[in-house]
Amino acid sequence: MKITSLVVGPFQENTYLLEDRESNEAVLIDPGDEGERIIELVVRSSAKLTAIWVTHGHLDHVGGIAAVKRRWDVPIYLHPADAMLYGDGAIRAAAQYRVPFDPPPPPTDALSEGATLRLGQQLFDVWHTPGHSPGHVVIHGQGVMFGGDLIFAGSIGRTDLPLGDPAQMMRSLGRVANMVGELTIYPGHGPSTTLHRERASNPFLNDHARPISRRE
């Protein structure tokens, strides 16, 4: 398994290309902006793109989907609770921030709590982790977690955006903090980290009474 990250757009969002070397299949996770750069990343990999997995519907995580979908007609997976943010909400947010935005086509497949995603012979579990957004999910398996904007190295996602919910965020963080085993976390922004490191040093995982971070 190979994971390649690409930082895109004005919000410096992490887009991930996840490749299964045995099957030569790949998925994109959160293609957030600069669609042509993302397409170049996939082409250079020589892997066959089979799907787009979206952790949540905010504009900085979905702005590259349209370009990718025009190049490869692959399914788009999103939790239905984020449909409004993914569609009209992302368009309005782009206008508010005055950033260019290529609206994504509708999702084709629904993510849900307990679902299993497959890449070649590799299996990944979906957890519904609302708080940053109503339909936020994390995708984990094979010793890694794609955490979207739930948790960052030393911080967490903000909850003061439309439809954010601090109480739900705390429950989602508590759930992740109690995961069994070690994981490398690939977040939506910033460097990768580990669950062990965040348990030890991230105040939002060991003290849920602290204020919510305002980071993107």
Side-chain angles (χ1 to χ4, degrees):
M1 187 173 69
K2 179 181 179 181
I3 300 169
T4 306
S5 63
L6 182 67
V7 180
V8 298
F11 298 99
Q12 296 291 279
E13 185 263 352
N14 293 329
T15 292
Y16 296 103
L17 179 68
L18 175 62
E19 301 174 61
D20 175 58
R21 291 180 166 176
E22 291 189 7
S23 66
N24 199 39
E25 294 179 349
V27 297
L28 281 168
I29 301 172
D30 290 354
D33 202 351
E34 300 185 69
E36 293 305 317
R37 287 184 64 210
I38 296 172
I39 289 170
E40 289 174 7
L41 175 67
V42 177
V43 170
R44 285 198 306 270
S45 76
S46 298
K48 178 185 177 182
L49 188 69
T50 60
I52 297 169
W53 299 346
V54 184
T55 63
H56 64 291
H58 285 154
L59 84 155
D60 55 329
H61 289 251
V62 305
I65 292 176
V68 172
K69 181 74 168 177
R70 286 192 291 267
R71 179 67 180 263
W72 297 285
D73 188 17
V74 295
I76 302 167
Y77 289 78
L78 177 76
H79 194 288
D82 262 19
M84 185 171 71
L85 291 176
Y86 174 93
D88 291 343
I91 294 172
R92 289 195 299 269
Q96 177 184 350
Y97 287 109
R98 298 182 179 180
V99 295
F101 184 64
D102 190 2
T108 60
D109 294 77
L111 294 177
S112 62
E113 169 67 31
T116 300
L117 297 173
R118 179 184 294 271
L119 174 63
Q121 297 303 310
Q122 311 292 329
L123 299 179
F124 297 86
D125 295 324
V126 177
W127 279 10
H128 183 209
T129 52
H132 181 65
S133 71
H136 192 288
V137 302
V138 298
I139 299 167
H140 64 93
Q142 313 304 317
V144 302
M145 182 176 80
F146 298 96
D149 287 1
L150 176 68
I151 182 171
F152 306 119
S155 188
I156 61 172
R158 60 193 293 178
T159 59
D160 60 341
L161 296 171
L163 304 182
D165 187 313
Q168 286 187 331
M169 185 65 138
M170 291 298 99
R171 288 191 290 270
S172 294
L173 289 167
R175 187 180 183 192
V176 169
N178 288 296
M179 292 179 77
V180 176
E182 185 51 276
L183 290 172
T184 299
I185 299 173
Y186 292 91
H189 304 268
S192 61
T193 184
T194 67
L195 183 57
H196 174 77
R197 184 179 302 137
E198 297 313 305
R199 282 196 190 109
S201 62
N202 190 324
F204 303 100
L205 261 66
N206 55 43
D207 184 0
H208 288 178
R210 294 185 182 233
I212 295 293
S213 165
R214 292 184 59 86
R215 183 174 176 176
E216 292 290 348

